[in-house]
Amino acid sequence: MAKWVYAFGGGTAEGRSEMKNLLGGKGANLAEMANMGIPVPPGFTVTTEVCTYYYDNQQTYPAELKTQVEAAVVQIERIMDCKFGDEKNPLLLSVRSGARASMPGMMDTVLNLGLNDISVEGLAAKSGDPRFAFDSYRRFIQMYSSVVLGIEHHHFEAILDTIKTDRGLKLDTDLTAADWRKVVAAYKEMVAKELGRPFPQNVNDQLWGAVGAVFGSWMNQRAITYRRLHEIPADWGTAVNVQAMVFGNMGEDCATGVAFTRNPSTGINEFYGEYLINAQGEDVVAGIRTPQYLTTEARKTAGADLPAMEEVMPKVFNELAAIRAKLEEHFTDMQDIEFTVQKDKLWMLQTRTGKRTAAAALKIAIDLAKDGVITKEKAIQRIEPNALDHLLHPTLDPKAARNVLARGLPASPGAASGRVVFTAQDAEAWAGRGEKVILVRVETSPEDIGGMHVSQGILTSRGGMTSHAAVVARGMGRACVAGAGEVRIDTRAKTMFSRGHEVKEGDVITLDGSTGEVMLGAVPTVQPELTGDFGTLMGWVDEIRTLKVRANAETPLDARTARRFGAEGIGLCRTEHMFFHPERIIAVREMIMATDEAGRRHALAKIEPYQKNDFVELFEIMAGLPVTVRLLDPPLHEFLPKNEAEMADVARAAGTDVSALRSRNTELHETNPMLGHRGCRLGISYPEIYEMQARAIFEAAVEVSKKSGVTVTPEVMIPLVCTKKEFDLLKEVIDGAAREVFSQRGMTLPYMVGTMIELPRAALVAGKIAETASFFSFGTNDLTQTTLGMSRDDSGPFIEVYRQKGIFEHDPFATLDQEGVGEMVQIAAERGRKTRPDLKLGICGEHGGDPASITFCQKVGLNYVSCSPYRVPIARLAAAQAALGARSDTTA
Ligand code: ADP
Ligand code: MG
Ligand code: MG
């Protein structure tokens, strides 16, 4: 008989933490904690396979499920010594979702299930606390009605508000048993009216209704959006966890809380969390009451008045601190935990690998490795390469003036400036127009994640360090200031007020997620330090990786940035970018517009000194590291004069008249410039262009080698080759220039001549091209464009459709299409190396900085990847991970 249900509690469990695929992260870890002897309320997990079955079979369950669930409930009853649905001694249950990867707040939880008009009286009598019993019942009616029956929250809020106002009460905890009885009666009446039938009283109907709602929530819009943003497949399914309730709302010796075993914002090894006395479930994160700190130290640092848990319940706090240590040791990573204290007894309700900022991820991994808890290799595998991006970008200049508008909690670090918007929809609309936005909300909810994703930063006026906004922002790497209570937000009027200022939609503000400050206007930024933990990690990474990492750079600034980030050379210096300078562009246009060789040579002579100087600067900065210079590959249309004034400038320089230029301009117009007279085709038509460039390269190499004493070894690269003959003709031009310069300067330097592989034909005939080419660099932008027959500049809209329809998993211009373009790369690498075993191979397309593509480059045996300077550290880390094999995914 198939096993659909796994029990846990009472010191044992049928599941283990390795069974996340079957039990979901929450269920697997509840089982693991039970096995470790940590107090966990008994319960059971209905597996993700039931979810799959449910969707494969018209939302029905496997036949054996009912009996297995019944048996598991009986086991909970035995351990808890009470009975589900009993009049006098009722067992209450929580029903929670739990997928393989954690999807915080994505699906809803039902607490206090098993209460009805009769059992609530039983609970009141048994506990001697009717206030608690009716508080639990009203929570249950509200949660069940909204999650399972689809009745909106505001109906409940309106009723509660009316009763509170009538009684002149402010806090939920001020309501008496009699008040809650009234609330319950009003809730039930409203539900019956909305629903057309009474609130379900049969506890088994309640249970199956909740189970069905959890499975149903797997396909709700916010779960679908979350999965899309985090690339979680829909067929994973969710598990359902049914667990005995423990009560944090039975009085002053009760509490509920959430914590991280280390600081998830900075990574510092300190116990970090919040709790509330006499509260239940989501009260801590919902922002209804101000949560209190766990440790005395954190309370003092924050200057908070309300006492810390360490002060109020020291004994339970110490137990919790011991569990903190035990969990970290066991899971060897920072944990995100949830707990409840019922009458001074501690219960753990959840543990999972905690989400953290990039800075915290780095610090935690390095600290754990230094403490010997994990290996260096493991530390390297734990860090998502793309997350490093957040550490490489500027932070607010500490010396800049700050016009502070408000202060909130430093919920997620980073500096962000942008225009204020007040709804997630507006954030998406404004961002769609290319605006940088800051999303300002009283508090965020899972419906807002699309808007949070496109924002630079998030500001809320309510909620703590573990509020939805804070958790999601840290996960997404967005700056966040949470709970800035002094900010008054009027969402409808789209304005906010603070410290006497009014900020309207579209006004610019700056957030400092590390201090919690909110500033008016944009505050200038500074470059980050690349030492400390970052330096340590990069050192470890460099010991392990075998792929070299170069940068795509042509300006001195880019080259210096690349070196600062640890680039081991330049993999692509695009010479056409050097031609755009205002003082050169006229000569460049003159060259393009010239109708004969003499005219071109005349213009080229003007450009040559500039070219040489460019290369001198680059070679000096790179100090002997390899530099691959790609000869001119101009999209001609970008260089042509665009108006009469530019036309006149060129005519003057060339000594011709404007009308002649105009007809030449028409002649040069191309229907499809990307497939036109570009790349080496231009060099074939007008060899004098490449001859000038080659001369400038060798002149510069000789000059810098002489001056610095370090030998410069230029790598000259010919673009857009598709036949061996093209390559050979142009190689002869380059060799000729080298001979000429070396004999004139009395110095010979080593150099290489190679080609881009960016056309399918070149990949296919790579074996022949390698007879004379000594290196290949895969230009995967053009290679993707030409292999797929899709224009990179025009494909955006339909690639999005292709992704939505599942035709493409990724944008092929961002992540290498391994099946198609990858095959081209592999063929070229194999055929090239067969001819020339020491053929040097690299990649210089956008893909050179994409971690998944880098793994592929390692597999195919490339020597190096080349990417934009800011991605160099990311590529170094990705290369180390590729050398180590798959990245370890520790997400619970
Ligand atoms: P999420 O995935 O949003 O964290 P959970 O399933 O963890 O949702 O439930 C949310 C909250 O409900 C928990 O933090 C906890 O406070 C409360 N809760 C869940 N199960 C129980 C239980 N068995 N007893 C008491 N409280 C519970
Ligand atoms: Mg929840
Ligand atoms: Mg939880």
Side-chain angles (χ1 to χ4, degrees), residues 780 783-784 787-788 808-827 843 847 850-860:
T780 48
L783 190 58
T784 299
T787 301
L788 272 61
F808 287 162
E809 201 182 328
H810 306 283
D811 175 351
F813 290 102
T815 292
L816 193 76
D817 156 37
Q818 295 188 9
E819 190 183 41
V821 181
E823 176 94 12
M824 283 288 169
V825 172
Q826 204 158 356
I827 288 172
I843 181 174
H847 306 99
D850 169 62
S853 310
I854 290 170
T855 307
F856 176 79
C857 295
Q858 170 93 16
K859 212 173 69 195
V860 187

Side-chain angles (χ1 to χ4, degrees), residues 416-470:
S417 295
R419 296 184 184 280
V420 169
V421 290
F422 292 93
T423 68
Q425 291 92 311
D426 287 340
E428 294 192 66
W430 286 58
R433 298 199 296 269
E435 296 280 0
K436 289 187 164 28
V437 298
I438 303 282
L439 178 61
V440 177
R441 306 280 294 150
V442 174
E443 62 193 326
T444 62
S445 73
E447 279 84 9
D448 293 334
I449 52 172
M452 297 171 79
H453 194 72
V454 299
S455 301
Q456 308 296 310
I458 296 137
L459 167 65
T460 66
S461 58
R462 200 151 67 188
M465 295 294 280
T466 48
S467 63
H468 179 264

Side-chain angles (χ1 to χ4, degrees), residues 26 96 338 350 352:
K26 197 176 284 169
R96 323 158 70 183
E338 298 177 355
Q350 186 172 336
R352 66 180 163 214

Side-chain angles (χ1 to χ4, degrees), residues 26 94 96 105 109 111 243-246 281-282 338 349-350:
K26 197 176 284 169
S94 88
R96 323 158 70 183
T109 300
L111 301 181
Q243 192 180 23
M245 281 299 297
V246 287
E282 311 274 1
E338 298 177 355
L349 296 176
Q350 186 172 336

Side-chain angles (χ1 to χ4, degrees), residues 280-339:
Q280 195 182 52
E282 311 274 1
D283 292 359
V284 175
V285 285
I288 296 165
R289 279 162 62 194
T290 311
Q292 298 164 232
Y293 290 91
L294 286 187
T295 64
T296 316
E297 196 179 321
R299 175 185 67 74
K300 284 187 180 152
T301 311
D305 314 325
L306 294 168
M309 182 177 180
E310 192 176 2
E311 294 160 316
V312 181
M313 17 179 96
K315 199 178 133 281
V316 185
F317 174 82
N318 286 337
E319 276 172 50
L320 185 64
I323 288 174
R324 168 201 177 206
K326 194 168 174 179
L327 287 174
E328 263 214 2
E329 191 190 304
H330 185 81
F331 290 100
T332 70
D333 203 352
M334 184 260 269
Q335 298 292 298
D336 167 356
I337 60 181
E338 298 177 355
F339 62 90

Side-chain angles (χ1 to χ4, degrees), residues 770-803:
E771 286 169 16
T772 38
S774 40
F775 68 85
F776 288 169
S777 176
F778 291 99
T780 48
N781 297 344
D782 263 322
L783 190 58
T784 299
Q785 189 159 244
T786 52
T787 301
L788 272 61
M790 283 182 185
S791 151
R792 182 158 57 126
D793 302 316
D794 304 314
S795 56
F798 61 82
I799 282 185
E800 195 40 48
V801 177
Y802 269 49
R803 290 189 57 187

